[in-house]
Amino acid sequence: MKKTTPQKKKTAPKRPTPAGKGKKQNISSGQGGNRAALLLIIMGLLTVILLMTIHHKPDRKGTDALTGQSEIFRPDHPQEKNEKSDSDGKEASTEEKNIGKAKDIEEKGAEENQKGADKLKSVSSRIYLYRLNEKTSKLYMSAVGRRVSEKDKLKKTMEALISGATPAERKAGYLSAVPENLVVRGLRLVGGTLYLDFSSSIEYGAPGNIMSQRIDQIVYTATQYPEVKGVVISIDGKRKETIGSDGLSISGTLRRR
């Protein structure tokens, strides 16, 4: 029998490596390493810039030394504090002025209301006029009603007497011997006596018994109030014994006849 010799396995022949292929692979791997290093450097620089941006200080002119932009004032900035305090002061002064104006308006309103209330508080009064009796053609004294302010009622009543009869009263035959240009220069009540100081016009235009009628109108009108017992008349601040061309006596205290 023939011995069989084991046959060697055939190996495929090695293909020749193309020239330069290995060099390219080495170059690619080298370039990748360089890129990574470059990225690390860039990231480091960005980190440094970011840290400098956060911690940098502005220069004295209020300008960012790094970026060149104007500084943004923080709440604790001295200039902003001053501006805020100035504005607060202006607002406070404006508010005080407004409060002052409101108080003035309120006080004026209260004063006007008080004046209005005083005007509304009126009392019933009378003035004495003369009325012509058509049948007998004689004059007789007659009272007509008036409303006067409760405040200074005596003076207001005298002024109402000086104003005389209304148009309707004149049509009804009422007349007055008191001149309409008469002025009450002073008035005071002392112990039941009313001291009346009149202007000099009280003596004018009163011939005969007209002066007597004039004085009676004043005395009767004044003594309608219980607190007035008598009247003392002076002219331009001076006491006189007589009045008028006929020398009617006005000395002492005058009372109703």
Side-chain angles (χ1 to χ4, degrees), residues 58-249:
D59 61 6
R60 293 181 180 178
K61 295 181 179 180
T63 304
D64 194 321
L66 182 63
T67 63
Q69 295 179 353
S70 297
E71 175 191 0
I72 299 174
F73 293 103
R74 298 187 182 90
D76 58 347
H77 195 280
Q79 183 176 351
E80 187 174 356
K81 283 184 178 179
N82 292 335
E83 291 177 354
K84 186 176 181 182
S85 63
D86 292 341
S87 63
D88 291 342
K90 289 178 181 178
E91 290 176 359
S93 61
T94 302
E95 186 176 357
E96 289 176 358
K97 288 180 180 178
N98 291 335
I99 292 172
K101 288 180 180 178
K103 286 183 178 178
D104 291 340
I105 292 171
E106 185 178 354
E107 289 175 358
K108 288 180 181 178
E111 186 178 351
E112 289 177 358
N113 288 336
Q114 185 60 41
K115 288 180 180 178
D118 291 339
K119 288 181 179 179
L120 292 175
K121 292 180 181 178
S122 60
V123 294
S124 241
S125 180
R126 297 187 303 273
I127 63 171
Y128 283 81
L129 304 174
Y130 281 93
R131 189 174 187 183
L132 178 64
N133 189 327
E134 294 180 356
K135 292 181 179 181
T136 62
S137 298
K138 291 183 179 180
L139 292 173
Y140 62 95
M141 190 178 292
S142 177
V144 293
R146 292 289 187 269
R147 297 291 298 182
V148 296
S149 173
E150 185 179 13
K151 188 177 181 180
D152 298 331
K153 67 178 182 180
L154 291 173
K155 184 177 181 181
K156 297 298 181 183
T157 301
M158 284 295 109
E159 289 175 351
L161 173 63
I162 294 169
S163 295
T166 64
E169 289 168 349
R170 289 192 187 99
K171 287 183 180 179
Y174 285 92
L175 304 170
S176 177
V178 178
E180 293 183 354
N181 62 343
L182 184 63
V183 177
V184 180
R185 299 179 69 254
L187 180 151
R188 59 191 176 93
L189 181 63
V190 180
T193 301
L194 182 63
Y195 291 85
L196 287 169
D197 183 31
F198 291 106
S199 61
S200 58
S201 58
I202 192 173
E203 295 190 90
Y204 301 154
N209 64 347
I210 293 178
M211 179 60 72
S212 178
Q213 293 170 350
R214 182 175 298 178
I215 297 301
D216 284 344
Q217 280 185 257
I218 293 171
V219 173
Y220 275 73
T221 298
T223 55
Q224 69 177 295
Y225 297 107
E227 61 267 31
V228 181
K229 306 301 181 184
V231 176
V232 172
I233 294 176
S234 60
I235 302 172
D236 289 334
K238 296 178 181 180
R239 290 288 303 275
K240 296 182 70 173
E241 295 293 327
T242 60
I243 187 171
S245 58
D246 292 340
L248 179 67
S249 176

Side-chain angles (χ1 to χ4, degrees), residues 14-72:
K14 295 181 179 181
R15 295 180 181 179
T17 303
K21 190 173 182 180
K23 291 181 180 180
K24 287 183 179 180
Q25 291 177 351
N26 292 336
I27 291 171
S28 298
S29 61
Q31 289 178 348
N34 292 336
R35 289 177 180 174
L38 183 59
L39 287 174
L40 288 174
I41 292 170
I42 292 171
M43 289 178 66
L45 289 174
L46 290 174
T47 302
V48 171
I49 292 171
L50 181 61
L51 291 174
M52 291 178 66
T53 304
I54 294 173
H55 296 289
H56 79 279
K57 294 182 178 180
D59 61 6
R60 293 181 180 178
K61 295 181 179 180
T63 304
D64 194 321
L66 182 63
T67 63
Q69 295 179 353
S70 297
E71 175 191 0
I72 299 174

